[in-house]
Amino acid sequence: MPVTIRDVAKRLNLSITTVSRALDGYDDVAEETRKQVERTAQEMGYVPSRIARQLRRKRSQAIGFIMPTEPPQYSDPFFDEFIAGMGKMANDQNYDLLTSSAPPASSEEQSIYQRWILARRVDGFVLNRLRLNDWRVHYLAANDVPFVTMQRIDDDTSYASIHVDGQGGIRKLVRLLHQRGHRRFAFIGGPPDLLIHLDRLQGYKDALVDHGIQYDPDMTLNTNMTYDEGLEAGKKILLTQDPPSALLCINDSTAIGVLDTARELGMKVGKDLVVTGFDGIRQGEHSVPSLTTLDQKIHRTASQLVQMLIQIILGSSVGALERRLDPELVLRASTGD
Amino acid sequence: MPVTIRDVAKRLNLSITTVSRALDGYDDVAEETRKQVERTAQEMGYVPSRIARQLRRKRSQAIGFIMPTEPPQYSDPFFDEFIAGMGKMANDQNYDLLTSSAPPASSEEQSIYQRWILARRVDGFVLNRLRLNDWRVHYLAANDVPFVTMQRIDDDTSYASIHVDGQGGIRKLVRLLHQRGHRRFAFIGGPPDLLIHLDRLQGYKDALVDHGIQYDPDMTLNTNMTYDEGLEAGKKILLTQDPPSALLCINDSTAIGVLDTARELGMKVGKDLVVTGFDGIRQGEHSVPSLTTLDQKIHRTASQLVQMLIQIILGSSVGALERRLDPELVLRASTGD
DNA sequence: TTGTAGGCGTTATCAA
DNA sequence: TTGATAACGCCTACAA
């Protein structure tokens, strides 16, 4: 029922070839013809069928993102902003963004990636939450499927990525807190094989060395980076014999969980007890107290990833294969600011 | 490069027709042939090209949802859960979910709908935040584009919808608060032409009549239903001469804004001052204090909408054109529970 | 039970 | 500068 290129051609007594080329801006079509075609197409409400175009061009004009999360946990604010950022850029570039979710490193995750590739549903992927020996990286690289990542694994596989310097950020943060008199620290981390966990934990350890503080393994916990596990981890740490005065969390969601636990326990966060996050989700502005964090500009970073990915898909080489980003320290009430 | 139906056919010395039919479960193919085909397809990693199939079937196997939001405001928790619910069901039914956002009733909104329809990018739409005289309803109906909605406009256009009984819910809620001694109420609503606003406001007014309370127009505010405007509206209401003791909000995001304003003003919510929301977003469990609300099971409702829509797209008539849903009253700390 | 062939709406090649 | 025509990968009358 909708109008096709044939209808436009017929109306103008032109071949579909000419119409196609006129609309695609080829320069071997008479200026007048082009104008006519454009006007008529507009009038008739002609929009090229994306599907036919995709079949012909052998491109889906879509990019994929699979959230590495456990099933019940839908809306993590981090991913909301991340997806929004990707979606914006994808849209601007006339790409579709396909999203799904699966538990990290699960067979389910594997099968989604495979299906999307085999069914040619996407032209490339954005990955985050990279893990050590992440099968996705090897698999995609081996199959020549374009992809970009946040963080990167140190190996010989070559791919484009944005590296957020968590190590440097955390180190700076600890230095500040140390200046303010804090001496007992704890680190609430993520899964042990997660790159950002290792990166940020390293920054934490380095900082302790900087200030001659002994690293205490009991003061480092692993979580899955959710609010709920933040609640739990907070309780565990705060109820120890001699609790730390500064709690550094691997991300904001976890940190907000810790804040809520502290309040529940009747502890006042902001002065003698400080809590920090990482990410810069908007919710951190409204938490009680508002959350000091290392802002990695989620929205913008996600946009950039998509932009890089599309460049790679289109074959133009990406300038620098790895971009770096220094997270910005945002001081708020959870550190008494 | 990926394996096509031809490759499979060639390998087996069969025609592509037979392969196609075997895999699609037609019953006019020899059992043994089918087994062979299935095995070989599996071995070769054959997955039908979605795009080719779509072109042939003249269906995009995708449904669209355009968030009616202002540009800077990305992640509203309501929409997160709503989209997650739609995405889950769409995925289960092997449909894609395309999302975008545009300011309500803007020309931008209009152009996205038009483009998606003309380019045959989606087979149908899910609409929410319906407005009076919503052009979308008329436009889609006039163009025979399948769609489903939350709420429905009282006119002669016929379409499938889920109607959440906000009127009844609010009325019940007011009754409860009245029993507990509250006499001065306020209603923080949405845009004046929004159906859910009118619906819920009506429930509010009815309830006042029920209890012989005079309706005070100054105690009804319009917002765009965001957290930020909740903050503002809360301030406006709470700083009046003789502030109300019960604040009913059109949705949870707004209500949480009101909670934060109250805390900022040093007012204690829960006893003499109570606040309620509507939606049942997860954040309401963790707000301070936790939020009493009318839960409309966002996730499940969104799923159902998609299910209805797909049925309509596939041509099987929807049983009841309108489903009803009674929101469930969830009592929490913001009303002292 | 299987195969032939046409076409979905584009784009791209090649010739006119 | 324009036009025939052949794909892209799949589905489906219809014929064998």
Side-chain angles (χ1 to χ4, degrees):
Chain A
M1 190 56 54
V3 31
T4 78
I5 199 172
R6 276 202 168 65
D7 302 326
V8 180
K10 200 163 292 171
R11 171 89 88 97
L12 288 165
N13 272 331
L14 282 173
S15 72
I16 57 173
T17 311
T18 307
V19 174
S20 174
R21 306 184 62 109
L23 292 174
D24 258 18
Y26 280 65
D27 54 1
D28 60 355
V29 52
E31 198 45 44
E32 198 173 344
T33 316
R34 147 167 303 116
K35 287 231 174 84
Q36 271 216 340
V37 171
E38 277 169 354
R39 197 158 37 72
T40 312
Q42 177 87 32
E43 273 173 25
M44 301 179 69
Y46 168 69
V47 179
S49 156
R50 193 184 182 81
I51 291 174
R53 170 177 284 174
Q54 286 168 353
L55 178 60
R56 178 61 233 226
R57 289 192 175 152
K58 308 187 94 175
R59 290 237 185 77
S60 66
Q61 285 214 51
I63 61 181
F65 176 70
I66 294 161
M67 264 191 285
T69 58
E70 310 296 332
Q73 182 209 336
Y74 279 107
S75 60
D76 180 319
F78 171 83
F79 287 115
D80 295 340
E81 292 184 34
F82 194 76
I83 289 174
M86 290 194 297
K88 178 73 172 59
M89 178 58 75
N91 234 294
D92 289 353
Q93 308 262 24
N94 200 21
Y95 268 69
D96 287 345
L97 173 64
L98 252 58
T99 59
S100 188
S101 64
S106 64
S107 66
E108 202 186 330
E109 179 186 56
Q110 207 155 346
S111 97
I112 300 183
Y113 277 98
Q114 283 172 347
R115 279 206 323 269
W116 284 10
I117 292 168
L118 289 175
R120 281 133 283 173
R121 263 177 98 171
V122 299
D123 295 331
F125 288 92
V126 174
L127 310 185
N128 71 1
R129 298 267 168 103
L130 251 59
R131 310 176 284 267
L132 281 179
N133 295 316
D134 203 306
W135 74 269
R136 301 174 295 173
V137 171
H138 305 307
Y139 180 75
L140 295 176
N143 288 281
D144 278 322
V145 178
F147 67 99
V148 295
T149 70
M150 285 199 65
Q151 311 305 99
R152 81 173 20 254
I153 304 174
D154 280 326
D155 64 2
D156 45 359
T157 325
S158 148
Y159 51 91
S161 61
I162 293 182
H163 176 87
V164 176
D165 184 14
Q167 191 173 343
I170 295 283
R171 199 166 175 176
K172 196 160 58 176
L173 181 52
V174 173
R175 176 158 58 239
L176 177 73
L177 296 178
H178 185 268
Q179 274 173 8
R180 293 183 178 181
H182 291 278
R183 291 298 177 268
R184 278 193 57 70
F185 293 87
F187 181 72
I188 301 192
D193 65 337
L194 201 69
L195 289 195
I196 52 172
H197 170 80
L198 293 166
D199 180 47
R200 294 169 195 179
L201 179 60
Q202 191 57 52
Y204 172 72
K205 287 181 173 169
D206 289 353
L208 294 189
V209 171
D210 289 349
H211 305 104
I213 299 175
Q214 174 80 31
Y215 172 70
D216 177 358
D218 288 346
M219 290 292 106
T220 292
L221 293 185
N222 293 110
T223 72
N224 67 6
M225 306 177 64
T226 60
Y227 170 85
D228 290 335
E229 296 216 359
L231 277 176
E232 233 178 277
K235 194 162 295 178
K236 205 176 290 176
I237 285 279
L238 292 172
L239 292 181
T240 47
Q241 215 49 352
D242 180 18
S245 70
L247 279 169
L248 309 188
C249 304
I250 187 163
N251 69 340
D252 288 348
S253 288
T254 309
I256 292 174
V258 171
L259 291 181
D260 286 357
T261 281
R263 193 181 37 250
E264 229 174 78
L265 296 175
M267 299 174 163
K268 187 135 182 99
V269 172
K271 192 147 192 314
D272 300 331
L273 175 63
V274 303
V275 174
T276 68
F278 199 117
D279 276 350
I281 63 177
R282 291 194 53 193
Q283 211 183 320
E285 302 171 25
H286 303 308
S287 58
V288 189
S290 59
L291 183 66
T292 287
T293 193
L294 287 157
D295 184 358
Q296 55 174 321
K297 311 284 160 53
I298 305 173
H299 197 274
R300 186 157 60 78
T301 305
S303 270
Q304 284 181 359
L305 280 170
V306 168
Q307 198 172 30
M308 289 163 71
L309 177 57
I310 292 178
Q311 280 180 5
I312 292 171
I313 289 170
L314 296 181
S316 51
S317 70
V318 182
L321 229 52
E322 182 178 0
R323 292 196 200 171
R324 304 198 135 258
L325 174 69
D326 285 322
E328 184 191 330
L329 183 54
V330 179
L331 296 170
R332 299 210 191 92
S334 72
T335 47
D337 296 272
Chain B
M1 190 54 53
V3 30
T4 78
I5 198 173
R6 276 204 169 66
D7 302 326
V8 180
K10 199 163 290 168
R11 172 89 87 96
L12 288 165
N13 272 331
L14 283 173
S15 73
I16 59 173
T17 311
T18 306
V19 174
S20 174
R21 307 184 63 111
L23 292 174
D24 259 15
Y26 281 64
D27 54 0
D28 60 354
V29 54
E31 199 44 46
E32 198 174 345
T33 316
R34 146 167 304 116
K35 287 232 174 83
Q36 272 217 340
V37 171
E38 276 169 354
R39 199 160 34 74
T40 312
Q42 176 88 34
E43 274 174 26
M44 301 178 71
Y46 169 69
V47 178
S49 156
R50 195 184 181 78
I51 291 173
R53 174 176 280 177
Q54 285 167 354
L55 180 59
R56 175 61 230 234
R57 290 189 176 158
K58 307 189 93 179
R59 289 238 185 78
S60 67
Q61 286 215 50
I63 61 182
F65 176 70
I66 295 160
M67 263 191 286
T69 57
E70 310 296 333
Q73 181 209 336
Y74 280 108
S75 60
D76 180 317
F78 170 83
F79 287 115
D80 296 340
E81 293 182 34
F82 194 76
I83 289 174
M86 290 193 297
K88 178 71 171 58
M89 177 59 74
N91 235 293
D92 289 353
Q93 309 263 25
N94 200 20
Y95 268 69
D96 287 344
L97 172 65
L98 252 60
T99 60
S100 187
S101 65
S106 64
S107 65
E108 202 186 331
E109 179 187 57
Q110 206 154 347
S111 96
I112 299 182
Y113 277 97
Q114 284 173 345
R115 278 207 323 269
W116 283 9
I117 292 168
L118 289 174
R120 281 132 283 175
R121 260 176 102 172
V122 299
D123 295 332
F125 288 92
V126 174
L127 310 184
N128 72 1
R129 299 268 167 103
L130 249 60
R131 309 176 283 267
L132 282 178
N133 296 315
D134 202 306
W135 73 269
R136 300 175 295 174
V137 171
H138 304 307
Y139 181 75
L140 296 175
N143 288 281
D144 279 321
V145 178
F147 68 99
V148 295
T149 70
M150 286 198 65
Q151 311 306 97
R152 81 173 19 253
I153 303 175
D154 280 325
D155 65 2
D156 45 357
T157 324
S158 147
Y159 51 91
S161 61
I162 293 183
H163 176 86
V164 176
D165 184 15
Q167 192 173 340
I170 295 282
R171 200 166 174 176
K172 195 160 59 179
L173 182 52
V174 173
R175 178 160 54 240
L176 177 73
L177 297 177
H178 185 267
Q179 274 173 7
R180 294 184 178 181
H182 290 278
R183 291 298 178 267
R184 279 192 58 70
F185 294 87
F187 181 72
I188 301 192
D193 64 336
L194 202 67
L195 289 195
I196 52 172
H197 170 79
L198 294 167
D199 181 47
R200 295 169 195 179
L201 179 60
Q202 191 57 52
Y204 171 71
K205 286 181 176 173
D206 289 353
L208 294 189
V209 170
D210 289 349
H211 305 104
I213 300 175
Q214 172 80 31
Y215 171 71
D216 177 357
D218 288 346
M219 289 293 105
T220 291
L221 294 185
N222 293 110
T223 72
N224 66 8
M225 306 177 61
T226 59
Y227 170 85
D228 290 334
E229 297 215 357
L231 277 177
E232 234 178 274
K235 192 162 297 175
K236 207 176 289 176
I237 285 281
L238 292 172
L239 292 181
T240 48
Q241 215 50 354
D242 180 19
S245 70
L247 279 169
L248 310 187
C249 304
I250 187 163
N251 69 340
D252 288 349
S253 288
T254 310
I256 292 174
V258 171
L259 290 181
D260 286 358
T261 281
R263 191 180 40 250
E264 228 174 78
L265 297 174
M267 299 173 164
K268 188 135 182 95
V269 173
K271 192 147 191 316
D272 300 331
L273 176 63
V274 303
V275 174
T276 68
F278 200 116
D279 276 350
I281 63 179
R282 292 195 51 192
Q283 212 184 320
E285 302 170 26
H286 303 306
S287 58
V288 189
S290 59
L291 183 66
T292 287
T293 194
L294 287 157
D295 185 358
Q296 55 174 320
K297 312 284 162 50
I298 305 172
H299 198 274
R300 187 157 59 79
T301 305
S303 271
Q304 284 182 0
L305 280 171
V306 168
Q307 199 173 27
M308 290 163 73
L309 177 57
I310 292 178
Q311 279 180 6
I312 293 171
I313 289 170
L314 297 181
S316 51
S317 70
V318 182
L321 228 54
E322 181 177 2
R323 292 197 200 169
R324 303 200 135 259
L325 175 68
D326 285 322
E328 184 190 330
L329 183 53
V330 179
L331 296 169
R332 298 210 191 91
S334 72
T335 48
D337 296 273

